[in-house]
């Protein structure tokens, strides 16, 4: 564990702790509900209800004021049952629920879904698209339109899980959008490289290939998850290697996506960053990666092999408090 805490010899290593400290807002009694962040997760279907919960609750645990989940009607009662803290919108539909309907009726349902999401869009500081989304064709069509709507509203987007499946098949959905963040794991990154660069992953020159991938998609930021997380907006490459855990339970990527969403929105809100040349998407990725790694490290110290994603979530607050005391 000590080796994990000190593994930061790379010249690419970000000054993660100071970045996190600079981004995180102070707790001010004069602020009102919503000013510390309003996050929305687009995901959750019959098979997958845990992932959107992990992303949404992580955002709250870090310090966002409000966290929404837009999911299918079947997933909504389950996600609501996990926590009363989440605002759950049961509006998404899968193909099985509209089977037998004609094209006109399907189009009407799709339009109604978009209208429902759009009326909330301007309230959000960031969207997280993909946790527990699944790969149902009709659902993915609707989410494609939601992504377009977010772009038009200039709302940042963090894309993970099956959202990456959608974007890999249709890169134009995010191409040229500087407020889009992709957070691929090893396999998702491999598919992106094959699709965009028409080659295989080159681990020997990972930073250079990551920059090429970002430029190939155009304008996005990518957080490549791994033993060391690599982050690039095409201009710079940074790594986050400090801390971490050898326990690789499922769901940690969902924590990361919710974390990045919060820190990205905080970085954009900081006037000194808004006027600088530092990309807030990169800052959000660095802070989110660092905090997850620290929380995972603390959870592993106490739980060892039995560490679960829910354990890591419970250490998010302490991990942030150690660096940015509330008082």
């Amino acid at each position: 564990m000590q080796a994990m805490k000190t593994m930061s010899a790379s010249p690419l290593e970000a000054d993660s702790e100071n970045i996190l400290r600079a981004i995180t807002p102070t707790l001010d009694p004069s602020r009102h509900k919503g000013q510390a962040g309003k996050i929305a997760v687009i995901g959750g279907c019959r098979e997958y209800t845990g992932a959107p919960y992990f992303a949404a609750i992580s955002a709250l645990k870090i310090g966002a004021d409000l966290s929404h989940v837009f999911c299918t009607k079947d997933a909504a009662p389950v996600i609501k049952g996990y926590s009363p803290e989440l605002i759950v919108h049961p509006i998404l539909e899968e193909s099985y629920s509209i089977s037998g309907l004609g094209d006109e009726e399907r189009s009407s349902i799709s339009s109604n879904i978009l209208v429902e999401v759009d009326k909330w869009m301007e309230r959000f500081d960031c969207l997280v698209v993909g946790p527990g989304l699944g790969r149902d064709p009709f659902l993915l069509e609707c989410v494609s339109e939601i992504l377009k709507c977010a772009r038009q509203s200039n709302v940042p987007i963090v894309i993970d899980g099956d959202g990456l499946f959608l974007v890999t098949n249709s890169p134009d959905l995010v191409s040229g959008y500087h407020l889009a963040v992709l957070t691929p794991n090893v396999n998702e990154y491999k598919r992106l490289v094959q699709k965009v660069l028409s080659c295989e992953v080159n681990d020997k020159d990972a930073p250079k290939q990551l920059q090429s991938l970002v430029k190939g998609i155009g304008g996005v930021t990518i957080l490549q998850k791994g033993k060391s997380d690599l982050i690039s907006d095409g201009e710079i490459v940074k790594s986050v290697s400090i801390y971490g855990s050898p326990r690789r339970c499922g769901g940690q990527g969902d924590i990361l996506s919710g974390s990045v969403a919060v820190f990205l929105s905080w970085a954009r809100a900081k006037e000194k960053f808004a006027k600088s040349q530092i990309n807030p998407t990169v800052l959000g990725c660095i802070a989110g990666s660092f905090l997850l790694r620290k929380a995972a490290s603390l959870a592993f110290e106490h739980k060892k092999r039995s560490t679960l994603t829910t354990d890591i979530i419970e250490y998010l607050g302490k991990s942030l408090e150690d660096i940015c005391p509330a008082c």
Side-chain angles (χ1 to χ4, degrees):
M1 294 303 298
Q2 186 61 32
M4 291 180 188
K5 293 176 184 177
T6 58
M7 185 175 60
S8 57
S10 169
L12 299 177
E13 189 72 16
D15 187 5
S16 304
E17 187 168 319
N18 282 328
I19 287 173
L20 186 146
R21 188 178 290 113
I23 290 174
T24 303
T26 57
L27 292 178
D28 185 342
S30 67
R31 293 165 67 90
H32 59 74
K33 180 177 67 177
Q35 285 187 296
K38 302 176 289 297
I39 307 302
V41 178
I42 312 294
C45 61
R46 280 194 301 178
E47 290 85 358
Y48 307 115
T49 57
Y53 164 75
F54 291 148
I57 202 68
S58 295
L60 290 179
K61 289 284 189 178
I62 291 169
D65 286 338
L66 296 169
S67 198
H68 298 246
V69 178
F70 291 82
C71 60
T72 65
K73 294 174 181 176
D74 284 343
V78 182
I79 298 172
K80 283 176 181 283
Y82 291 148
S83 173
E85 305 288 346
L86 305 180
I87 303 168
V88 182
H89 306 261
I91 65 168
L92 302 181
E93 298 280 4
E94 294 181 85
S95 298
Y96 76 89
S97 65
I98 58 169
S99 61
L101 298 182
D103 291 343
E104 187 173 334
E105 292 170 298
R106 291 166 66 96
S107 178
S108 176
I109 291 172
S110 179
S111 296
N112 290 338
I113 290 172
L114 186 61
V115 167
E116 183 66 23
V117 176
D118 185 47
K119 75 181 185 182
W120 288 90
M121 190 67 73
E122 65 178 15
R123 309 185 195 189
F124 298 137
D125 298 302
C126 190
L127 293 189
V128 179
V129 178
L133 184 62
R135 298 184 179 182
D136 178 79
F138 181 77
L139 182 52
L140 291 182
E141 286 178 19
C142 293
V143 173
S144 295
E145 296 305 312
I146 292 171
L147 286 172
K148 295 174 185 177
C149 178
R151 289 189 64 161
Q152 291 172 357
S153 299
N154 208 39
V155 175
I157 310 167
V158 179
I159 302 175
D160 188 44
D162 287 318
L164 290 169
F165 172 80
L166 175 62
V167 166
T168 298
N169 291 322
S170 302
D172 58 297
L173 289 171
V174 294
S175 179
Y177 190 48
H178 71 286
L179 292 176
V181 175
L182 313 185
T183 60
N185 61 24
V186 172
N187 290 323
E188 291 160 346
Y189 186 76
K190 178 181 178 181
R191 288 191 286 268
L192 273 170
V193 168
Q194 290 172 338
K195 173 73 174 184
V196 177
L197 300 180
S198 301
C199 66
E200 298 301 320
V201 174
N202 179 6
D203 291 326
K204 292 182 179 180
D205 201 357
K208 184 176 180 180
Q209 186 175 59
L210 177 58
Q211 279 187 299
S212 297
L213 178 60
V214 170
K215 292 176 180 178
I217 296 173
V220 302
T221 296
I222 294 180
L223 192 168
Q224 179 189 0
K225 295 179 287 192
K227 184 178 181 181
S228 294
D229 292 339
L230 283 179
I231 300 154
S232 180
D233 61 353
E235 298 299 321
I236 63 171
V237 179
K238 290 293 181 181
S239 67
V240 181
S241 305
I242 194 169
Y243 294 107
S245 165
R247 179 75 168 103
R248 302 306 307 150
C249 53
Q252 293 183 65
D254 305 310
I255 299 176
L256 179 65
S257 62
S259 302
V260 170
V262 176
F263 285 116
L264 195 168
S265 63
W266 285 351
R268 291 189 78 210
K270 283 277 188 175
E271 186 176 351
K272 65 179 178 179
F273 290 129
K275 293 181 178 180
S276 74
Q277 295 181 344
I278 304 174
N279 193 333
T281 57
V282 172
L283 295 172
C285 287
I286 291 171
S289 172
F290 174 80
L291 189 68
L292 169 60
R293 284 171 168 269
K294 183 171 172 59
S297 176
L298 289 174
F300 184 77
E301 285 182 10
H302 290 84
K303 298 286 187 173
K304 303 301 182 185
R305 292 182 185 272
S306 67
T307 303
L308 299 176
T309 298
T310 48
D311 299 317
I312 298 172
I313 289 171
E314 289 308 309
Y315 280 99
L316 289 171
K318 174 174 172 47
S319 299
L320 186 57
E321 183 69 15
D322 287 346
I323 300 167
C324 304
C327 56

